[in-house]
Amino acid sequence: MLEILRSQHLVFYTLIFLVSATITWLCIPSILHVARARHLYDDIGHFRKEHDHGIPRLGGVAIFVSFNITALLFGILDKSLPVSYMLTACIILFAMGLKDDLSGVNPRTKFVIQAIAALILVVPADIRISSMYGIFGIYSLPYLPSVLMSVLLIMLIVNSFNLIDGINALAASTGIIVNCTFAFLFFYIRQYELAAIGLAMAGAILGFLRFNLLPARIFMGDTGALLIGLVSSVMALKFIALSMSGGGAPDLMFYSPALTVAILAGPVFDTLRVFTIRLSKGKSPFDADRNHIHHRILRLGFNHAQATLCLSVMSLLSIGSVFLFSKLGNSWLIGLVFFISLIVNCLITIMLRAKKRKEAALAISN
């Protein structure tokens, strides 16, 4: 039966997406019931929270269950992405994320467990960056630097998704854009199983998004954000490796690393910006604050839906710019993507300062 479905790509992919979304959609009401019965609510007293009443943050449980059931049900994890290592890494982060959502986890413990999950993907599964493909004049990487760089990239992407999960629908919308884009690109280079993985994750997130839109009834928590980040990082590394090998789409060889950066630019750039600001002030990069781009957009007077829409459009703009200027080469394109992100953040800063001056003038006049 699966072989017949695989021959009908449109039907097969549509079915994967819908089944994954349906499983999440069916799971969440039960999770909400358990959360209410056991009083498993978010910490509304924390200074970074944007809501004023208790909301469960266990939506990631449904995303995890849906993604894994769909992947196993349709047999879409094959030799190009060994199932044992993928599921092992997912389960490790799921267990840590669930504990963090329920009772909290020490930042150092988080770092170590994330590193272990990343190492499982990089070393035995061999999902890593083996070359810089001429970016900034660097080509082949020795094994140890390749492993170290790949582990750090996976951890960066995983934490980036965790850190943007600060307002309703942002992490979910970003996860859908990222995984749908990678699914399309994998289909284009004839890596059909990997395309199906992206759709399975996107469908699982979509089923959750139904309950996370205003008014939000549930959050994905670390359980969901870490899982989305992990799968997205695997999609990114596999896409770069496979597309640069020239298999199926030689045209992508010239700019696939830059395209990958553009797809992930939203969460990654914001994380790097916030970490840089914290370090420049002598603080730990892991100290929580309200300086993320979504917090800054909210201070301009936008609501959660508007802020999410703005950042989603920004992500699509970055992706589109790489396609539009694909002949520039990877180094220039990566610079262009970061320049767009920098300009957007500078505009937000200018608008915030103008708003502050206006409020100060009004206070003086009154």
Side-chain angles (χ1 to χ4, degrees), residues 79-110:
K79 292 181 180 178
S80 63
L81 188 59
V83 60
S84 58
Y85 303 124
M86 180 72 177
L87 292 184
T88 299
C90 286
I91 291 169
I92 288 172
L93 286 192
F94 170 78
M96 182 191 72
L98 184 60
K99 184 179 184 298
D100 193 27
D101 290 334
L102 294 175
S103 61
V105 175
N106 183 282
R108 185 176 299 177
T109 303
K110 284 185 182 180

Side-chain angles (χ1 to χ4, degrees), residues 188-191 241-250 253:
Y188 184 68
I189 63 176
R190 299 185 179 90
Q191 295 291 329
L242 292 170
S243 59
M244 292 302 290
S245 68
M253 290 179 63

Side-chain angles (χ1 to χ4, degrees), residues 19-30:
V19 167
S20 185
T22 301
I23 293 173
T24 308
W25 183 70
L26 292 174
C27 284
I28 287 183
S30 296

Side-chain angles (χ1 to χ4, degrees), residues 88-294:
T88 299
C90 286
I91 291 169
I92 288 172
L93 286 192
F94 170 78
M96 182 191 72
L98 184 60
K99 184 179 184 298
D100 193 27
D101 290 334
L102 294 175
S103 61
V105 175
N106 183 282
R108 185 176 299 177
T109 303
K110 284 185 182 180
F111 186 85
V112 171
I113 293 177
Q114 288 174 9
I116 292 172
L119 279 169
I120 290 172
L121 293 173
V122 172
V123 179
D126 200 34
I127 301 171
R128 59 187 176 89
I129 294 178
S130 57
S131 171
M132 291 291 289
Y133 307 105
I135 299 174
F136 309 123
I138 305 173
Y139 288 88
S140 181
L141 291 172
Y143 182 73
L144 287 180
S146 169
V147 168
L148 179 61
M149 183 178 179
S150 300
V151 168
L152 291 177
L153 277 173
I154 291 173
M155 294 176 67
L156 172 63
I157 297 170
V158 167
N159 282 288
S160 295
F161 274 89
N162 195 24
L163 291 173
I164 65 167
D165 186 29
I167 60 175
N168 296 336
L170 179 55
S173 299
T174 304
I176 290 173
I177 291 173
V178 168
N179 284 279
C180 281
T181 304
F182 278 128
F184 171 80
L185 292 171
F186 279 125
F187 182 83
Y188 184 68
I189 63 176
R190 299 185 179 90
Q191 295 291 329
Y192 301 120
E193 287 80 9
L194 288 168
I197 292 170
L199 288 176
M201 176 52 70
I205 301 170
L206 182 66
F208 159 81
L209 190 59
R210 161 67 178 80
F211 298 88
N212 189 233
L213 294 172
L214 292 173
R217 297 171 57 190
I218 193 169
F219 299 142
M220 68 170 62
D222 282 16
T223 308
L226 294 174
L227 177 64
I228 295 171
L230 183 72
V231 174
S232 297
S233 67
V234 170
M235 296 288 97
L237 295 183
K238 292 298 291 185
F239 173 67
I240 293 174
L242 292 170
S243 59
M244 292 302 290
S245 68
D251 55 315
L252 286 180
M253 290 179 63
F254 299 104
Y255 61 94
S256 62
L259 182 55
T260 302
V261 171
I263 293 170
L264 296 167
V268 169
F269 181 86
D270 185 57
T271 298
L272 293 176
R273 181 188 66 84
V274 170
F275 278 12
T276 301
I277 292 173
R278 291 171 184 171
L279 288 171
S280 68
K281 294 180 177 179
K283 299 179 180 179
S284 167
F286 302 103
D287 284 347
D289 58 30
R290 292 177 57 84
N291 197 31
H292 288 284
I293 188 170
H294 51 270

